[in-house]
Amino acid sequence: MVIAVDFDGTIVEHEYPEIGEERPFATEVLKMLMADRHKLVLWTMRDGKLLDDAVKWCADRGVEFYAVNSDTSPLFPEERDPNLSCKLHADVFIDDRNVGGLPDWPTIYKIISQRKTWKQIMRTELAKEHEEHAIPYPKWMFWKSARKK
Ligand SMILES: [Mg+2]
């Protein structure tokens, strides 16, 4: 899968043009996605030195991109058809500007690796939480309902 990933506000907290603190588990999850053989594309508004800084920041943490602000890798250049739209070809976009906000990184990993929607993941998590916090059926309720019959 080709996964386009934004930088500011997504991998790191939004401190542009500075580089903010890493968002919890961002690079860990990106490395797991690399290990799962997904192609990561850095898709950011950064350019020039600020872009180089972001790419280096990620590389220092073991995150390597297949391509940067492009569909194709500089390692495997392909002629891009000039008649194609400028929209990036990606299967998934991870961006803090998502409608509904950005899930936390462990949830992003679950969504991609389990090929589920955020809604499906949340429904499962809520069901588990409900089960964990469910009050056991007290005996007196059994006797109370039995008496009514
Ligand atoms: Mg952003």
Side-chain angles (χ1 to χ4, degrees):
M1 203 186 287
V2 176
I3 302 171
V5 190
D6 175 46
F7 187 69
D8 297 286
T10 302
I11 296 175
V12 296
E13 297 297 337
H14 207 303
E15 298 288 338
Y16 182 86
E18 305 300 319
I19 294 179
E21 289 289 312
E22 178 180 347
R23 297 199 62 171
F25 307 108
T27 56
E28 202 61 40
V29 168
L30 289 170
K31 285 188 280 188
M32 289 163 68
L33 293 171
M34 287 166 55
D36 293 347
R37 298 180 172 262
H38 294 292
K39 291 179 177 177
L40 303 181
V41 176
L42 184 63
W43 187 234
T44 172
M45 58 165 291
R46 285 178 177 253
D47 202 2
K49 186 189 177 314
L50 295 178
L51 176 60
D52 295 342
D53 291 347
V55 171
K56 184 182 180 317
W57 186 94
C58 292
D60 289 347
R61 287 152 183 83
V63 177
E64 302 284 347
F65 295 100
Y66 167 77
V68 175
N69 283 348
S70 158
D71 282 336
T72 55
S73 167
L75 299 174
F76 305 99
E78 297 163 26
E79 279 297 315
R80 187 179 171 94
D81 184 345
N83 297 320
L84 286 177
S85 84
C86 61
K87 184 174 180 180
L88 182 76
H89 168 76
D91 299 300
V92 177
F93 289 80
I94 303 173
D95 196 306
D96 62 310
R97 301 295 170 100
N98 286 343
V99 171
L102 183 70
D104 59 60
W105 278 93
T107 302
I108 290 171
Y109 185 74
K110 280 183 194 170
I111 291 168
I112 293 172
S113 63
Q114 297 175 16
R115 295 181 183 264
K116 289 185 175 176
T117 64
W118 190 1
K119 191 175 178 181
Q120 289 169 323
I121 297 286
M122 292 312 294
R123 192 175 288 154
T124 307
E125 293 297 317
L126 287 172
K128 272 188 213 165
E129 197 172 296
H130 181 74
E131 232 171 67
E132 284 168 13
H133 295 96
I135 299 166
Y137 193 73
K139 279 184 184 173
W140 66 265
M141 287 181 83
F142 169 78
W143 292 111
K144 190 175 178 184
S145 64
R147 259 196 320 200
K148 285 185 181 173
K149 289 179 185 171

